[in-house]
Amino acid sequence: MNKPGLYEPSFEHDACGIGFVVNINGQKSHQIIEEGIQILCNLEHRGAIGSDHKTGDGAGMMVQIPHSFFTKKVEFTLPPAGQYGVGFFFLPGDDSTSYEARKLVQSVIVREGGAFLGWREVPNNPESLGQIARDSRPSLWQAFLKFPLLKNRALERKLYILRRCLEKEAIARGWGMDDFYIPSLSSRIIIYKGMFVSTQFISFYPDMKDTDFISALALVHQRYSTNTFPSWPLAQPFRYLAHNGEINTLRGNINKMVARDPKLTSSVFGNEISKVIPVINPEASDSSIMDTVLELLHMGGRSLEHSLMMMVPEPFGPKYHMSEDKRAFYEYHSAIMDPWDGPAALLFSDGIKIGGSLDRNGLRPARYVITKSGKVIMASEVGVLDIDPQDIREKGRLAPGKMLIVDTGLKRIIRDNEIKAKITRWKPYRRWLEDNRIELKGLFQVPGPVEYDPNTLLTRLKAFGYSLEDLKLIITPMVRNSQEPIGSMGNDAALAVLSEKPQLLYNYFRQLFAQVTNPPIDPYRENLVMSLMSFVGRQHNLLDEKPVHCRQLKLYYPILTNDDIKRLKSAKLKGFKVGSVPMLFKTEEGRGSLTSGLEQLCLAVEKKVDEGYSMVILSDRGITREWAAIPALLATSTVHHHLVDRGKRHLTALVIESGEVREVHHFALLLSYGASGINPYLVFESLFELRNRGYLDRHLSLPSAQMHYINAINRGLLKVMSKMGISTLRSYRQAQTYEAIGLSASFIEKYFPGTTSRIGGVGIDVFEEEVLHRHFAAFNNEPYHLKRLDSGGFYAYRQKSLKHLFTPEAITLLQQAVRDNNYLLFKKYTAEINNVNENLCTLRGLLKFKKGNPVPIEEVEAEGHIIQRLVTSAMSFGSISKEAHETLAIAMNRLGCKSNSGEGGEDEERYQLLANGDSAKSKIKQIASARFGVTSNYIVNSEELQIKMAQGAKPGEGGQLPGFKVNEIIAKVRNATPGVMLISPPPHHDIYSIEDLSQLIYDLKNVNPEARISVKLVSEVGVGTVAAGVAKAKADMVLISGSDGGTGAAPLSSIKHAGSSWEIGLAETQQVLVMNKLRGHIRIQVDGQIKTGRDVVIGALLGAEEFGFGTSALVVLGCVMMRKCHLNTCPVGIATQNPQLRSRFRGKPDYVVNFMRFIAREVREIMAELGFRSFNEMVGRVDRLEVNRAVQHYKTRGIDFSGILYQPDKQENLPRYCTETPSPDLTNDLDLRLIKDAASSLEKQKKTSIRMTIKNFNRSVGARLSGEVSKRYGSAGLPADTIKVKFEGSAGQSFGAFLAPGITFEVEGDANDYFGKGLSGGKLIIYPPDRSTFLPHKNIITGNVNLFGATGGEAFIHGMAGERFCVRNSGAIAVVEGVGDHGCEYMTDGRVIVLGKTGINFAAGMSGGIAYVLDEDLLFDTRCNLEMVDIEPLSEKEDIDFLFAYIKKHVDFTGSSYAQRIVDKWEDMLPYFVKIMPVEYRRALERIQQQESKESEWVGMTEEIYT
Amino acid sequence: MGKITGFLDYKRQDFKIQGVTQRISHYHEFAVPIGETDIAIQAARCMDCGIPFCQSTFGCPLWNLIPEWNDLAYRGQWREAYERLEITNNFPEFTGRLCPAPCESACTLSINDAPVTIKQIELAIIEKAFQEGWVVPYPPQKSTGKSVAVIGSGPAGLAAAQQLRRLGHQVTVFEKSPKIGGLLRYGIPDFKLEKRVIDRRLEQLISEGIVFKTEVMIGEDISAHYLKKSFDSILIATGAGHPRDLQIPGRNLKGIYFAQEFLTNSNLFVDGMIDGNQLISCQDKTVLVIGGGDTGSDCVGTANRQGARRVFQFEILPKPEEWKYKWNPYWPNRPDILRTSTSHQEGCEREWSVMTKSFSGRHGKIEKASFSRVRWDRSGKSLQPDMQEIPDSDFELNIDMVLLATGFVHLVHNRLIKDLRLQFDDKKNLRVDEHFMTSVPGVFAAGDAAKGPSLIVKAIYAGREAAKSIHNYLMC
């Protein structure tokens, strides 16, 4: 696909609904087909449709070959079933090319020794399709062929080889995937798929209706793609699997495969292996590539399940209690293949076996039902097929990392343990590992003495570009606290490419992060699934397994001490040679010396590889005046790609020994571009100096200091990986999850191929110059120059150092202007900010307006209109003080504009008007991952609901409000306890992919249909495609945040290095939305260091309609950019909760009012000058922008704005701004009926009782009803049980979401994910149907993520719940009979009673509330995360009484006989109960108790956490 | 990083000084040194701002790395503190004593609190450095073979000389007076800057290889042309020595002096260079200081030490706003508020909005001065407020001596300037380009000579920057 503008096809995402149904005994029937279609249709809401409201993103079904059907349909004779192959072909629509393609197919079949039997043109019905799908429809053909001597696996393998031959022939003819594609070619299965929504499937393929069309299994997939560009081949299932999820590490996985391709050998393929390779088509989707590799492994001789266990291994870290053989299996295979990391529910089949498998995090749902009549149904949701409750034998869900297979050959179900017991002992992996694995003695022991040369230290530090900030702000805190340093107030320093100061290459790279389409992971609370362990060394043939495969060095983490490197260099190991190559270039050879240095380096490394070295150390030790260091990242990536190109990459590990490396970002980048281990020797040497100079505690020994530093880097690496949703270092390595900003295309192509760099920039000459500049400055003999490091100025402002947008002068002018209401001063301020000659920091600084025909200013849209487009950005009450937060709200309300609550909830008192008529209510309410205070009442009291997917300062990360900032009022609005730390998880636990976001939007629209829904994203490559997905999810507005923004606290590396500028993200979003014809349906807002009217106009021309102000609004209120928000010491009372400092707050609403008016006035002036009369006219007019050549300097010359200034709407007149936003489809909404039936309750508080049936597609039931209750009765709601509804059936997602007080929902049946999401005081009861016979406490009755973010109410669940039960509960009381992994995570209040087993990682990050667990096998403490909680016996009478009362209630409401047993034997059962009590919470409770007795106010503590 | 909550935990504590009676009995500095621990506590108040305003155009003109050395002083890392201080400031011992400390009025703490005692910390660091022997010469390792003449040995000339020497040039400093130091030595009274402080620094400069020639008046003793021929470049750093006169009746009576004349004379006396008969003495006299600025204040202090009977200080401008709070209402700008110097505390009667109209006397000697009061009106159209005499407000005082501290207008237009035919700007200072070069190639000017009267920190900064330009000029 071509790449117009900024759109990058490789960043398309999809997500979906998947499912299968199978007759265990292999009995084929047409009923299975019908049921498959039924499943597909019932999952329709998980898919999406395009802007024509009809074209689906794709759906498909894999079935066994219907032999009798084909026999009937073809005119030629078919061999017996299983002895011929059927290929499904998507060929070009026009007849002649199609004919040509068919001729080709026939000839290749013959060439490969097969016999061609005939063609069948597949009947189809294009009328049922959407326009986009119809226009791109291929011609559909089935080919029948045989290989006389072959059958079973041999035949399948030959058909595979044939397909690869055909695909390669097609490529040779220049046919892309859209011209020539083979959905399936097999003797066992056939795949019908295409670009439609599920309901169109059956009408499009009439074959499906034929009763002879039979199969014992059907595997289906419904796709939701972020974009709707016509692509039939991307519909799923693929040849072996259907995938719901994302592969985050795709680039690395591809590279690792490509590198080994040429060296593949296989006994089963013999010579024919050459026909198969290269196996990967890099243009295909992630799922498709994964399928290709799975196919190769499987065809190469491993079983399907074995291959999957290699590609998607379970976590096997030390925290898991697991079989030694299984651990050894995974460890052995980690030396062969790195995980394909990312959320994944995988359904797979080879036509005989069919099964499902889940990624290690369990981030996608997979529910199954086993019936007594011999079927297994597995799908993303339960209830996709109607099954008689009596017929149900078992209900379950796939747990993280687990697998389930139905073998129709053996006619039985094979469960996880059986599968893995067999495969892990297939070969003596444990023995092989013990005999071959290298664990260098002494490596990773306490570090030995560091050799250190104080005489040259400063010279070397300067040569590697160290500043005082590096030592003081980066390394010192890491050594002191074993964690990364924290900062605040975003980044306003110049982009690396705009900085006239030399910059390290690292600063040109931005970390990618997960948003919407896949979730980030919590590296702290869920670190048990994460791993930094890796095997490094020479890798062997992928299609083989021998002991030598694991003759590699095991590294527990990738940082090596100076001692480790010494040991490695001197190690004498059989079959493991370690070599070293200098990473230096000669300084005196003039221009191009760096290039030639790199070339020599590549050759030197390759030579070592050829000589059989398993590990090569690239070292820049030994820089001298004559020899300068090659930038380590440049060296690593260049060597890496050189070896990939030569097919030798897997033959050696690259270890980097460099003085340049110091921060987390450096380590992460090096690993991402090819390093296996890194030794930052200069950091370790500088520790001496730091200790001598008193930065470090004298009592801290140097070995400990080194270990602290390593720990900090390790934690940082986990964080960088986790923000991309990557769990293991093994898969992170080489994954290139970065975007470059400011590197030229030729530079990228040569040294960093595969990396996105969209605005061009500098090349190798600049780096050579900058390295030499630093180098000579350092080696300058003058002692005067020698003795001092530069100040830096990257993190804090220094007048003579790096440029920053906010200068002292600008702040002063702005504050004076708004205080005195002086527009002239304001113009001086904007002149200072916009002064690009002096202060070029941003991309927009390089742009200027093209002259237009000015219009008289009176004719331009009024200031009062323009101002409506301005909002204040989200800043939580908690991160900023009550005074500052309310001042912003009051000001914006006075203007009729919107302020944003931020994620901290909002005090209900603010919903009332103040005495003077002002309102302190935030019109925009944020819905963030922690859901603090997100109740039904909060939702109805807003005009806009903003789902925060990421924030500029630290996209992809969670956060925490330290206990000392949580005072009484904050605790109140967040439903927490004063003094107890509050954690915001990195992901929204109800948004693991795009269809989940769509679900949350649907939930919110239901609770408050009047509010507009917005989604906040952060700029990075691919944000446009995500935004398209957001538009398809029917959000009203998408907010593109620049990565530079952010007012809160965040790790410095995230503030500086994650995400990209809003100019690029906004332009991409606008382009992709216009191209997809979606722009008219959604508004765009932009924020991130927007400071002037000029910024606003540039934003508008690039496509934004609305604008957010964060930092500048705070400066208006008195902020002076102390960047101390994280320390609670804001001296102007803004970002602090300390009462003493809060009293220093001097901001006034008038200042903000003046500021917004000034901005609007300036915008209006510019509009007049440019000749725009209305704002809308201006939106998206990139043609009115051009590059300001006048402000360029040596680094900006290569910057290319053509991508940003690309206009997709040149030919067609597509809307450039939003004209109307779509309303949600309420066809399956039960609430309209509920509201009608409960009218008397709503109006007069009379009791109502309702009964109805429910299906899985009835989603968010109760949300709208709750909204009605909250609107009328506020947070108090109705008296208990006023509205009682009993449902029968399978409840859809988000059942009982935000259920308001006074509503009781009872379900006889089961429920899906997000049951009781945000429960706001209502009551939920669920139990299996009366007639069912399975044991509920051993079966899954509701899905994952139940009661997420509940703030009050009660839930009684007769049966087990899935993963992540009661995550972020802050007030609800729940009784359940068993839960999956990560139960009660991040809980801050409420009570949870588990009457049975829990999964692992229970109570991780739980800082409040209490859980009670029935621990009959005494193993609960092995599954509980004990970092923040204590487990204790129940002794207090209060606890016992509470527990008994609620179990009794549970019995009464659900009729649970299991719970009845506990009640009956109370005295015997009680001792088995344990109480899980958060440590900090207990302390806080004690403190509150003491204080109550003293009747004094809670006093802010001045505890220092990051000093 | 200082101490994170230091500004909340500790109160500002400025220099401690001797009592008035004690200190006016001598000419020595009277600040009582503060212990290292107390300085560290004061340094702990620094918030290490994300944007340190002390280091902005509102703050230190030298761009001193204030937050960095504050932190080091707090942590007792005096050596490194000195190293960071030395990066930007050649003579912290001068600025630490004399600077009006715009850094402190721009300190972010002074938004709503008392600022960090930056000047005091600076002084403590440099005094510690001298005491520990860390202030050592850095003679250049290589010579460039180029020579520079620096004319004038005030702060600008000295800073330029040091920078140029360290870059490897041969530097000769010419000074018309008997000793090196310019205004530092002859303009500033000893109670503000003891002259041993200058001598101590001179040792370093001499060891670095700078040649000093005193009692040489360029243009008179050595011709400008000869100088120009003998040196590769010339830097004029002669200051702005031309005083503003007060042309009113009776001006030529005896007993009326320019402040500078008076102060220089007093300094020579204190230095033992002249004896009592040559001293312009205020003893037992009623002294009128005209001009309310710092020089006037120095005159007040000197007069009191000489035993004046009564001292008046009159200023024509209105009395600035009185401000009793510790924060700066005009942050980060230097506040226009009433300042009371230590000299004022020593005894003087200050009046504002007073215009001196005439002097009168007998035997050619002043005996009386006549004044009237004026009103300043800001309502007019022009930016400058209008001044109007208040009718019938005239009054007279018996006066024995008048010191004119009404400021300086520009540099002295001596032979050097005339012979080199240097061009002036509209204020009659030397016209220089952005590289400090005058209208004659190779001739540079820095400090007050180029920009008119200003602060010592600005002079040091100008000297350093001019040195950079001269270096570039010489090396290209």
Side-chain angles (χ1 to χ4, degrees), chain A residues 152-222:
Chain A
N152 292 335
R153 264 192 109 155
L155 177 57
E156 282 295 285
R157 188 172 298 119
K158 185 66 211 181
L159 291 171
Y160 167 60
I161 293 165
L162 172 64
R163 200 192 78 230
R164 286 298 300 133
C165 292
L166 287 167
E167 285 165 349
K168 284 162 82 172
E169 289 289 344
I171 289 168
R173 278 169 176 67
W175 292 338
M177 233 167 45
D178 290 319
D179 306 311
F180 185 96
Y181 179 76
I182 311 170
S184 65
L185 173 54
S186 162
S187 63
R188 292 175 182 166
I189 58 107
I190 187 159
I191 295 166
Y192 280 69
K193 65 183 183 180
M195 267 194 88
F196 23 70
V197 284
S198 40
T199 41
Q200 293 162 350
F201 184 72
I202 190 159
S203 48
F204 183 76
Y205 285 123
D207 282 5
M208 294 293 150
K209 291 186 190 135
D210 195 304
T211 47
D212 283 333
F213 199 93
I214 58 170
S215 171
L217 55 86
L219 193 162
V220 297
H221 185 279
Q222 164 69 56

Side-chain angles (χ1 to χ4, degrees), chain A residues 693 788 797 809 1124 1507, chain B residues 4 48 50 57 77 84 86:
Chain A
R693 293 193 169 235
R788 317 281 188 272
Y797 180 90
E809 295 71 29
K1124 296 287 177 288
T1507 56
Chain B
I4 283 167
D48 188 24
T57 46
Q77 295 297 316
R84 300 306 292 177
E86 200 196 21

Side-chain angles (χ1 to χ4, degrees), chain A residues 552-565:
Chain A
Q552 294 188 25
L553 176 67
K554 182 175 174 179
L555 294 181
Y556 291 92
Y557 47 80
I559 295 104
L560 300 162
T561 62
N562 298 6
D563 224 27
D564 293 338
I565 280 281

